[in-house]
Amino acid sequence: MTQRGSCLCGAIRYSVDGPLRPVIACHCSQCRKSSGHHVAATSARREHVTILGDPTWYASSETARRGFCPTCGSNLFWDGPGANLSIFAGTLDGPTGLAIAGHIFCADKGDYYEIPEGLRRVDGEDPALTTMVR
């Protein structure tokens, strides 16, 4: 099944022809600063993602970059080491069938919200959560 998504203005569109990882909420300070809140992202194998348009890439660290639309500013991708490209779940079109599977970098969360109980919560990085693609 192909999933499609885009930025707010439609200048950047993408499709994913493969499975998506369950959504992970990241509460790290970089995600909070770049989005204004925590980030909810899925991911897919890089070879399954086709991007139409030319996102702007910002090197947010020595090992990762963030892709966004240069026209409307929509945050779309997080691109770090490994075989997967992270995709901001809110940019997917239509029903996805995805659900949040856990929360990472909980130690960095903002003080103005609470993380609900019931899902895996990790203070920092968790490769077991962030690399799983079914």
PDB file of all heavy atoms in Angstrom, residues 40-59:
ATOM      1  N   ALA A  40       5.901  13.921  16.455  1.00  0.00           N
ATOM      2  CA  ALA A  40       5.358  12.579  16.277  1.00  0.00           C
ATOM      3  C   ALA A  40       5.778  12.130  14.883  1.00  0.00           C
ATOM      4  O   ALA A  40       5.358  12.719  13.887  1.00  0.00           O
ATOM      5  CB  ALA A  40       3.841  12.582  16.412  1.00  0.00           C
ATOM      6  N   ALA A  41       6.630  11.114  14.816  1.00  0.00           N
ATOM      7  CA  ALA A  41       7.179  10.701  13.523  1.00  0.00           C
ATOM      8  C   ALA A  41       7.095   9.197  13.332  1.00  0.00           C
ATOM      9  O   ALA A  41       7.262   8.424  14.265  1.00  0.00           O
ATOM     10  CB  ALA A  41       8.630  11.155  13.399  1.00  0.00           C
ATOM     11  N   THR A  42       6.852   8.822  12.106  1.00  0.00           N
ATOM     12  CA  THR A  42       6.974   7.449  11.663  1.00  0.00           C
ATOM     13  C   THR A  42       8.269   7.371  10.873  1.00  0.00           C
ATOM     14  O   THR A  42       9.018   8.356  10.818  1.00  0.00           O
ATOM     15  CB  THR A  42       5.755   7.046  10.799  1.00  0.00           C
ATOM     16  OG1 THR A  42       5.879   5.662  10.432  1.00  0.00           O
ATOM     17  CG2 THR A  42       5.606   7.892   9.565  1.00  0.00           C
ATOM     18  N   SER A  43       8.571   6.249  10.275  1.00  0.00           N
ATOM     19  CA  SER A  43       9.723   6.180   9.378  1.00  0.00           C
ATOM     20  C   SER A  43       9.521   5.040   8.400  1.00  0.00           C
ATOM     21  O   SER A  43       8.676   4.164   8.593  1.00  0.00           O
ATOM     22  CB  SER A  43      11.040   6.017  10.149  1.00  0.00           C
ATOM     23  OG  SER A  43      11.159   4.723  10.692  1.00  0.00           O
ATOM     24  N   ALA A  44      10.332   5.078   7.348  1.00  0.00           N
ATOM     25  CA  ALA A  44      10.302   4.039   6.323  1.00  0.00           C
ATOM     26  C   ALA A  44      11.715   3.870   5.788  1.00  0.00           C
ATOM     27  O   ALA A  44      12.566   4.758   5.948  1.00  0.00           O
ATOM     28  CB  ALA A  44       9.359   4.440   5.192  1.00  0.00           C
ATOM     29  N   ARG A  45      11.956   2.753   5.174  1.00  0.00           N
ATOM     30  CA  ARG A  45      13.248   2.533   4.525  1.00  0.00           C
ATOM     31  C   ARG A  45      13.445   3.612   3.466  1.00  0.00           C
ATOM     32  O   ARG A  45      12.515   3.947   2.736  1.00  0.00           O
ATOM     33  CB  ARG A  45      13.294   1.156   3.865  1.00  0.00           C
ATOM     34  CG  ARG A  45      13.111   0.020   4.833  1.00  0.00           C
ATOM     35  CD  ARG A  45      14.416  -0.294   5.510  1.00  0.00           C
ATOM     36  NE  ARG A  45      14.261  -1.476   6.348  1.00  0.00           N
ATOM     37  CZ  ARG A  45      14.772  -1.572   7.549  1.00  0.00           C
ATOM     38  NH1 ARG A  45      15.468  -0.586   8.058  1.00  0.00           N
ATOM     39  NH2 ARG A  45      14.601  -2.653   8.262  1.00  0.00           N
ATOM     40  N   ARG A  46      14.630   4.165   3.401  1.00  0.00           N
ATOM     41  CA  ARG A  46      14.923   5.247   2.450  1.00  0.00           C
ATOM     42  C   ARG A  46      14.543   4.886   1.015  1.00  0.00           C
ATOM     43  O   ARG A  46      14.010   5.715   0.286  1.00  0.00           O
ATOM     44  CB  ARG A  46      16.408   5.593   2.467  1.00  0.00           C
ATOM     45  CG  ARG A  46      16.850   6.260   3.714  1.00  0.00           C
ATOM     46  CD  ARG A  46      18.368   6.508   3.655  1.00  0.00           C
ATOM     47  NE  ARG A  46      18.874   6.650   4.996  1.00  0.00           N
ATOM     48  CZ  ARG A  46      18.664   7.694   5.760  1.00  0.00           C
ATOM     49  NH1 ARG A  46      17.939   8.681   5.317  1.00  0.00           N
ATOM     50  NH2 ARG A  46      19.148   7.758   6.976  1.00  0.00           N
ATOM     51  N   GLU A  47      14.813   3.640   0.631  1.00  0.00           N
ATOM     52  CA  GLU A  47      14.551   3.248  -0.758  1.00  0.00           C
ATOM     53  C   GLU A  47      13.061   3.165  -1.077  1.00  0.00           C
ATOM     54  O   GLU A  47      12.675   3.079  -2.238  1.00  0.00           O
ATOM     55  CB  GLU A  47      15.252   1.924  -1.110  1.00  0.00           C
ATOM     56  CG  GLU A  47      14.764   0.721  -0.328  1.00  0.00           C
ATOM     57  CD  GLU A  47      15.541   0.445   0.958  1.00  0.00           C
ATOM     58  OE1 GLU A  47      16.265   1.345   1.457  1.00  0.00           O
ATOM     59  OE2 GLU A  47      15.404  -0.683   1.475  1.00  0.00           O
ATOM     60  N   HIS A  48      12.211   3.229  -0.051  1.00  0.00           N
ATOM     61  CA  HIS A  48      10.759   3.196  -0.260  1.00  0.00           C
ATOM     62  C   HIS A  48      10.139   4.587  -0.323  1.00  0.00           C
ATOM     63  O   HIS A  48       8.933   4.707  -0.530  1.00  0.00           O
ATOM     64  CB  HIS A  48      10.082   2.390   0.846  1.00  0.00           C
ATOM     65  CG  HIS A  48      10.467   0.951   0.847  1.00  0.00           C
ATOM     66  ND1 HIS A  48      10.281   0.137   1.937  1.00  0.00           N
ATOM     67  CD2 HIS A  48      11.033   0.162  -0.104  1.00  0.00           C
ATOM     68  CE1 HIS A  48      10.717  -1.079   1.663  1.00  0.00           C
ATOM     69  NE2 HIS A  48      11.185  -1.081   0.431  1.00  0.00           N
ATOM     70  N   VAL A  49      10.947   5.629  -0.102  1.00  0.00           N
ATOM     71  CA  VAL A  49      10.425   7.003  -0.061  1.00  0.00           C
ATOM     72  C   VAL A  49      10.829   7.753  -1.329  1.00  0.00           C
ATOM     73  O   VAL A  49      11.997   7.773  -1.693  1.00  0.00           O
ATOM     74  CB  VAL A  49      10.961   7.759   1.178  1.00  0.00           C
ATOM     75  CG1 VAL A  49      10.423   9.187   1.214  1.00  0.00           C
ATOM     76  CG2 VAL A  49      10.612   7.017   2.463  1.00  0.00           C
ATOM     77  N   THR A  50       9.839   8.350  -1.985  1.00  0.00           N
ATOM     78  CA  THR A  50      10.073   9.206  -3.144  1.00  0.00           C
ATOM     79  C   THR A  50       9.626  10.616  -2.792  1.00  0.00           C
ATOM     80  O   THR A  50       8.476  10.806  -2.378  1.00  0.00           O
ATOM     81  CB  THR A  50       9.290   8.703  -4.370  1.00  0.00           C
ATOM     82  OG1 THR A  50       9.689   7.361  -4.660  1.00  0.00           O
ATOM     83  CG2 THR A  50       9.543   9.585  -5.583  1.00  0.00           C
ATOM     84  N   ILE A  51      10.521  11.585  -2.930  1.00  0.00           N
ATOM     85  CA  ILE A  51      10.212  12.980  -2.611  1.00  0.00           C
ATOM     86  C   ILE A  51      10.115  13.760  -3.916  1.00  0.00           C
ATOM     87  O   ILE A  51      11.027  13.722  -4.745  1.00  0.00           O
ATOM     88  CB  ILE A  51      11.293  13.597  -1.696  1.00  0.00           C
ATOM     89  CG1 ILE A  51      11.389  12.814  -0.379  1.00  0.00           C
ATOM     90  CG2 ILE A  51      10.997  15.070  -1.440  1.00  0.00           C
ATOM     91  CD1 ILE A  51      12.553  13.219   0.509  1.00  0.00           C
ATOM     92  N   LEU A  52       8.993  14.451  -4.100  1.00  0.00           N
ATOM     93  CA  LEU A  52       8.783  15.325  -5.252  1.00  0.00           C
ATOM     94  C   LEU A  52       8.846  16.758  -4.761  1.00  0.00           C
ATOM     95  O   LEU A  52       8.128  17.126  -3.837  1.00  0.00           O
ATOM     96  CB  LEU A  52       7.427  15.040  -5.901  1.00  0.00           C
ATOM     97  CG  LEU A  52       7.208  13.600  -6.356  1.00  0.00           C
ATOM     98  CD1 LEU A  52       5.768  13.390  -6.788  1.00  0.00           C
ATOM     99  CD2 LEU A  52       8.167  13.250  -7.483  1.00  0.00           C
ATOM    100  N   GLY A  53       9.679  17.557  -5.368  1.00  0.00           N
ATOM    101  CA  GLY A  53       9.934  18.905  -4.899  1.00  0.00           C
ATOM    102  C   GLY A  53      11.318  18.940  -4.280  1.00  0.00           C
ATOM    103  O   GLY A  53      12.024  17.927  -4.244  1.00  0.00           O
ATOM    104  N   ASP A  54      11.689  20.098  -3.797  1.00  0.00           N
ATOM    105  CA  ASP A  54      13.043  20.281  -3.293  1.00  0.00           C
ATOM    106  C   ASP A  54      13.018  20.811  -1.860  1.00  0.00           C
ATOM    107  O   ASP A  54      13.051  22.024  -1.645  1.00  0.00           O
ATOM    108  CB  ASP A  54      13.795  21.251  -4.215  1.00  0.00           C
ATOM    109  CG  ASP A  54      15.287  21.281  -3.948  1.00  0.00           C
ATOM    110  OD1 ASP A  54      15.809  20.330  -3.324  1.00  0.00           O
ATOM    111  OD2 ASP A  54      15.927  22.258  -4.348  1.00  0.00           O
ATOM    112  N   PRO A  55      12.954  19.898  -0.870  1.00  0.00           N
ATOM    113  CA  PRO A  55      12.973  20.390   0.509  1.00  0.00           C
ATOM    114  C   PRO A  55      14.302  21.049   0.839  1.00  0.00           C
ATOM    115  O   PRO A  55      15.326  20.745   0.228  1.00  0.00           O
ATOM    116  CB  PRO A  55      12.773  19.123   1.354  1.00  0.00           C
ATOM    117  CG  PRO A  55      13.119  17.985   0.477  1.00  0.00           C
ATOM    118  CD  PRO A  55      12.941  18.441  -0.947  1.00  0.00           C
ATOM    119  N   THR A  56      14.267  21.953   1.780  1.00  0.00           N
ATOM    120  CA  THR A  56      15.487  22.533   2.326  1.00  0.00           C
ATOM    121  C   THR A  56      15.926  21.646   3.481  1.00  0.00           C
ATOM    122  O   THR A  56      15.103  21.211   4.281  1.00  0.00           O
ATOM    123  CB  THR A  56      15.218  23.972   2.818  1.00  0.00           C
ATOM    124  OG1 THR A  56      14.864  24.771   1.689  1.00  0.00           O
ATOM    125  CG2 THR A  56      16.443  24.559   3.489  1.00  0.00           C
ATOM    126  N   TRP A  57      17.204  21.380   3.551  1.00  0.00           N
ATOM    127  CA  TRP A  57      17.744  20.531   4.612  1.00  0.00           C
ATOM    128  C   TRP A  57      18.587  21.386   5.547  1.00  0.00           C
ATOM    129  O   TRP A  57      19.446  22.143   5.111  1.00  0.00           O
ATOM    130  CB  TRP A  57      18.582  19.402   4.018  1.00  0.00           C
ATOM    131  CG  TRP A  57      17.741  18.438   3.241  1.00  0.00           C
ATOM    132  CD1 TRP A  57      17.516  18.463   1.885  1.00  0.00           C
ATOM    133  CD2 TRP A  57      16.991  17.348   3.751  1.00  0.00           C
ATOM    134  NE1 TRP A  57      16.671  17.442   1.530  1.00  0.00           N
ATOM    135  CE2 TRP A  57      16.334  16.732   2.654  1.00  0.00           C
ATOM    136  CE3 TRP A  57      16.792  16.819   5.019  1.00  0.00           C
ATOM    137  CZ2 TRP A  57      15.513  15.625   2.801  1.00  0.00           C
ATOM    138  CZ3 TRP A  57      15.978  15.714   5.166  1.00  0.00           C
ATOM    139  CH2 TRP A  57      15.346  15.125   4.068  1.00  0.00           C
ATOM    140  N   TYR A  58      18.339  21.232   6.829  1.00  0.00           N
ATOM    141  CA  TYR A  58      19.080  21.937   7.871  1.00  0.00           C
ATOM    142  C   TYR A  58      19.859  20.916   8.688  1.00  0.00           C
ATOM    143  O   TYR A  58      19.265  19.975   9.244  1.00  0.00           O
ATOM    144  CB  TYR A  58      18.121  22.717   8.767  1.00  0.00           C
ATOM    145  CG  TYR A  58      18.784  23.288   9.997  1.00  0.00           C
ATOM    146  CD1 TYR A  58      19.686  24.337   9.902  1.00  0.00           C
ATOM    147  CD2 TYR A  58      18.516  22.755  11.254  1.00  0.00           C
ATOM    148  CE1 TYR A  58      20.310  24.843  11.027  1.00  0.00           C
ATOM    149  CE2 TYR A  58      19.130  23.264  12.398  1.00  0.00           C
ATOM    150  CZ  TYR A  58      20.028  24.300  12.270  1.00  0.00           C
ATOM    151  OH  TYR A  58      20.645  24.799  13.391  1.00  0.00           O
ATOM    152  N   ALA A  59      21.173  21.069   8.765  1.00  0.00           N
ATOM    153  CA  ALA A  59      22.007  20.167   9.568  1.00  0.00           C
ATOM    154  C   ALA A  59      21.831  20.544  11.034  1.00  0.00           C
ATOM    155  O   ALA A  59      22.457  21.475  11.526  1.00  0.00           O
ATOM    156  CB  ALA A  59      23.461  20.274   9.147  1.00  0.00           C
TER     157      ALA A  59
END
